[in-house]
C-alpha cells in the first residue's frame, strides 16, 4: 500500500480501528445474546426483550400419497412455488417448482394468488383443496412489510377466494424456520440461519421452556421452532460495536433499529462500504477526476459485489466501470478492496459470535450433537464470509461443543414451507 498518500492511509487506519472488534467484546456479546434469548422466552422479566422469540410447532408431514401440498417462497420481486407429495412413510418428495417475477406496484397478495393459479393449471394439479405453506425471505432490494402484519394470512386467503382457488394457508414463517423444518427431515438439526437481505435465525426448543406460553404437562416435551428475530438485537441497549457509519446507515434507512441486521445483512453491507467510499470522495481521497454521481446514489453498491472484489483486485474495475462509469486507478482499486475486506471481516466476527450464543441455547437441553444449517445470498456471493463466520462461531464455543455445519440450498426453504403445509 506504499502507493497511497498519507491522507489515504490515515483514513484507512481510522476505518480499520473503528471496525475492529476485540475478543473480549465478542465474548461479552455471546453472553448478552444468550441472556436475551432466555429473556425472550420468559413470562415475567424486568425489561422487555428485544427478541420476538415466536414459536412454531414442528410436526412430521402427514402421509398423503395421492394428495399435493404447496410451498411458496416470497423474496423481493420473486415468488417461487413448489409442490410435494408425502408417501406412506411420511417421506416428502418434490414434484414441480416454478419461479414468477412480480412487477412494480403489484399487490403481493393478488400476485401470489395469480402465481398459484398459473402453477396449478400448468402442472394440472387437483385443485379441490390445496394446503399452502408460505415462507418470507428478505431480499436486498424489496421487502413486503405487509407480509409481516398479523392479518397477512387472512389477506392472502381473501386473494385466493377472489381468484376462485380452494387454497388454505397453513403457515406463514420466515426463512430460517422453513430451513429448519426442511433440514430436520434428514438430520436432527437444532439451529438454522439465513443471511439474505436481512438475517433470520431459528432453533429448536422444548415447549416447556417457553414460559410465556401456558402449556399442559402433556405438551411440555413437544418441540417447537423458535423464530428469534435476532436481527433486532442491539436496537435498544447498545450491545453491539457500531461505528459512525453504522449509525448513519441506520438513521437514513426506512426501518431504523434492527442493529444486528444492519451489521451483517445483505441489504446493508454494500451500503456501509458505499458510505465509506463517499466519505473518501468528499475528502478528495478517491476518484478525484471521475464523475461520482452514480456511486452517490444510496444502495447502489450491492453486497454481492464485495466477494469478487475481495477475491480479485481486477474485479474492482469490472464493477465500477460497468455500474458507475468510473475508471479506477491502482490506488483506488486497493482502497476499495480494503474497505470491503474490513466491513466483511467485522460482519463475520459478529455473526459468528451471535450464532455461538444461539447454539449454546439450543444445546442447553439437548443430549445429542448440534447441527447448524446456514444459507442465504450473503454466503452464496461471499464464500469467505461463510468460512470466517463458521470459524468465529467455533472459536466462541466451549471445546465440548462442536456443531456440525451444513450449507443449505435456498430451495430448501421453499421445501420446508411445503412440508409445513403437509403437516396439517
Amino acid at each position: 500500500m506504499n502507493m497511497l498518500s498519507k491522507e489515504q492511509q490515515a483514513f484507512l487506519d481510522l476505518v480499520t480501528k473503528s471496525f475492529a472488534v476485540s475478543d473480549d467484546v465478542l465474548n461479552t456479546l455471546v453472553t448478552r445474546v444468550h441472556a436475551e434469548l432466555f429473556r425472550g422466552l420468559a413470562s415475567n422479566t424486568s425489561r422487555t426483550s428485544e427478541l420476538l422469540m415466536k414459536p412454531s410447532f414442528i410436526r412430521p408431514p402427514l402421509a398423503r400419497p395421492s394428495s399435493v401440498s404447496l410451498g411458496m417462497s416470497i423474496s423481493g420481486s420473486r415468488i417461487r412455488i413448489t409442490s410435494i407429495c408425502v408417501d406412506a412413510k411420511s417421506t416428502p418428495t418434490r414434484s414441480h417448482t416454478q419461479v414468477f417475477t412480480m412487477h412494480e406496484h403489484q399487490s403481493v397478495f393478488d400476485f401470489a394468488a395469480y402465481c398459484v393459479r398459473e402453477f396449478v393449471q400448468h402442472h394440472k394439479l387437483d385443485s379441490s383443496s390445496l394446503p399452502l405453506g408460505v415462507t418470507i425471505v428478505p431480499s436486498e432490494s424489496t421487502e413486503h412489510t405487509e407480509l409481516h402484519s398479523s392479518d397477512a394470512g387472512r389477506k392472502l386467503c381473501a386473494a385466493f377466494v377472489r381468484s376462485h382457488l380452494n387454497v388454505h394457508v397453513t403457515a406463514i414463517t420466515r426463512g430460517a424456520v422453513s430451513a429448519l423444518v426442511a433440514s430436520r427431515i434428514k438430520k436432527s438439526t437444532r439451529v438454522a440461519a439465513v443471511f439474505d437481505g436481512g438475517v433470520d435465525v431459528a432453533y429448536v426448543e422444548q415447549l416447556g421452556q417457553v414460559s410465556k406460553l401456558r402449556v399442559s404437562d402433556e405438551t411440555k416435551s413437544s418441540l417447537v421452532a423458535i423464530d428469534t428475530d435476532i436481527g433486532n438485537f442491539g436496537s435498544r441497549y447498545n450491545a453491539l460495536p457500531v461505528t459512525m457509519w453504522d449509525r448513519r446507515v441506520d438513521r437514513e434507512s426506512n426501518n431504523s433499529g434492527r442493529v444486528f441486521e444492519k451489521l451483517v445483512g445483505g441489504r446493508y453491507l454494500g451500503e456501509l462500504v458505499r458510505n465509506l467510499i463517499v466519505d473518501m470522495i468528499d475528502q478528495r481521497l478517491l476518484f478525484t477526476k471521475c464523475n461520482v454521481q452514480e456511486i452517490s446514489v444510496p444502495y447502489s453498491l450491492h453486497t454481492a459485489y464485495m466477494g469478487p472484489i475481495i477475491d480479485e483486485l481486477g474485479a474492482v474495475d469490472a464493477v465500477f466501470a460497468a455500474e458507475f462509469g468510473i475508471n479506477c486507478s491502482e490506488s483506488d482499486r486497493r482502497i476499495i478492496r480494503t474497505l470491503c475486506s474490513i466491513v466483511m471481516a467485522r460482519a463475520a466476527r459478529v455473526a459468528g459470535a451471535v450464532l455461538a450464543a444461539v447454539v449454546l441455547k439450543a444445546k442447553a437441553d439437548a443430549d445429542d450433537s448440534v447441527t447448524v444449517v446456514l444459507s442465504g445470498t450473503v454466503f452464496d456471493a461471499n464464500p469467505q464470509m461463510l468460512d470466517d463466520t463458521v470459524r468465529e462461531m467455533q472459536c466462541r464455543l466451549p471445546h465440548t461443543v462442536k456443531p456440525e455445519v451444513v450449507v443449505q440450498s435456498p430451495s430448501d426453504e421453499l421445501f420446508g414451507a411445503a412440508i409445513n403445509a403437509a403437516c396439517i
Side-chain angles (χ1 to χ4, degrees), residues 159-170:
F160 291 141
V161 170
R162 290 193 296 271
S163 296
H164 308 288
L165 291 168
N166 190 11
V167 174
H168 55 280
V169 179
T170 63

Side-chain angles (χ1 to χ4, degrees), residues 47-342:
R47 73 178 194 189
T48 303
S49 174
E50 293 182 308
L51 305 182
L52 177 68
M53 303 296 283
K54 180 180 178 182
S56 299
F57 281 95
I58 301 175
R59 301 184 180 94
L62 300 176
R64 291 173 174 168
S66 60
S67 299
V68 172
S69 298
L70 301 181
M72 174 185 290
S73 171
I74 303 176
S75 180
S77 61
R78 188 175 65 171
I79 288 182
R80 293 179 297 157
I81 300 178
T82 194
S83 58
I84 66 168
C85 292
V86 183
D87 64 21
K89 296 181 179 180
S90 295
T91 302
T93 55
R94 307 181 212 207
S95 50
H96 307 288
T97 300
Q98 199 168 343
V99 181
F100 301 85
T101 301
M102 180 166 48
H103 299 297
E104 198 173 356
H105 306 307
Q106 278 186 295
S107 162
V108 65
F109 300 112
D110 289 335
F111 185 70
Y114 162 80
C115 294
V116 171
R117 186 177 66 246
E118 290 293 307
F119 184 87
V120 169
Q121 292 176 351
H122 180 74
H123 298 290
K124 298 179 174 59
L125 302 180
D126 179 7
S127 58
S128 57
S129 180
L130 287 170
L132 171 70
V134 180
T135 188
I136 303 168
V137 182
S139 71
E140 276 196 48
S141 55
T142 306
E143 183 174 8
H144 302 289
T145 55
E146 62 269 39
L147 289 171
H148 299 285
S149 64
S150 58
D151 62 347
R154 182 185 61 79
K155 290 181 178 178
L156 192 53
C157 288
F160 291 141
V161 170
R162 290 193 296 271
S163 296
H164 308 288
L165 291 168
N166 190 11
V167 174
H168 55 280
V169 179
T170 63
I172 298 180
T173 61
R174 294 200 290 183
V177 171
S178 297
L180 191 62
V181 169
S183 179
R184 286 182 67 84
I185 292 296
K186 296 180 180 179
K187 289 178 171 288
S188 57
T189 303
R190 300 196 69 86
V191 178
V194 180
F195 287 73
D196 276 297
V199 59
D200 190 14
V201 178
Y203 76 98
V204 175
E205 183 68 88
Q206 284 191 341
L207 186 57
Q209 298 298 318
V210 188
S211 58
K212 64 183 179 181
L213 298 180
R214 294 182 179 180
V215 298
S216 65
D217 292 338
E218 292 80 9
T219 59
K220 283 185 177 180
S221 60
S222 300
L223 296 181
V224 290
I226 301 294
D227 180 357
T228 62
D229 192 31
I230 201 72
N232 200 51
F233 181 79
S235 300
R236 299 180 191 168
Y237 305 115
N238 300 319
L240 289 165
V242 297
T243 68
M244 59 176 283
W245 295 281
D246 297 303
R247 287 189 284 270
R248 182 192 301 166
V249 169
D250 179 47
R251 185 174 61 249
E252 295 176 355
S253 72
N254 59 6
N255 62 336
S256 182
R258 305 194 63 78
V259 178
F260 175 63
E261 187 164 275
K262 291 187 174 71
L263 268 58
V264 300
R267 191 180 295 120
Y268 305 104
L269 293 176
E271 179 63 5
L272 268 174
V273 174
R274 192 195 67 82
N275 271 267
L276 293 166
I277 289 173
V278 170
D279 274 11
M280 294 195 76
I281 291 172
D282 290 344
Q283 297 179 42
R284 301 192 63 76
L285 301 176
L286 199 63
F287 305 143
T288 54
K289 298 180 181 179
C290 300
N291 184 335
V292 294
Q293 183 175 356
E294 295 297 328
I295 190 65
S296 301
V297 177
Y299 296 93
S300 56
L301 181 61
H302 301 302
T303 299
Y305 300 149
M306 295 173 64
I309 286 173
I310 293 171
D311 290 341
E312 185 181 350
L313 197 60
V316 179
D317 282 327
V319 170
F320 277 75
E323 297 296 324
F324 308 113
I326 294 175
N327 294 318
C328 300
S329 66
E330 181 67 16
S331 61
D332 292 338
R333 288 192 286 272
R334 293 186 178 276
I335 288 170
I336 292 167
R337 186 186 192 185
T338 300
L339 294 177
C340 289
S341 297
I342 291 170

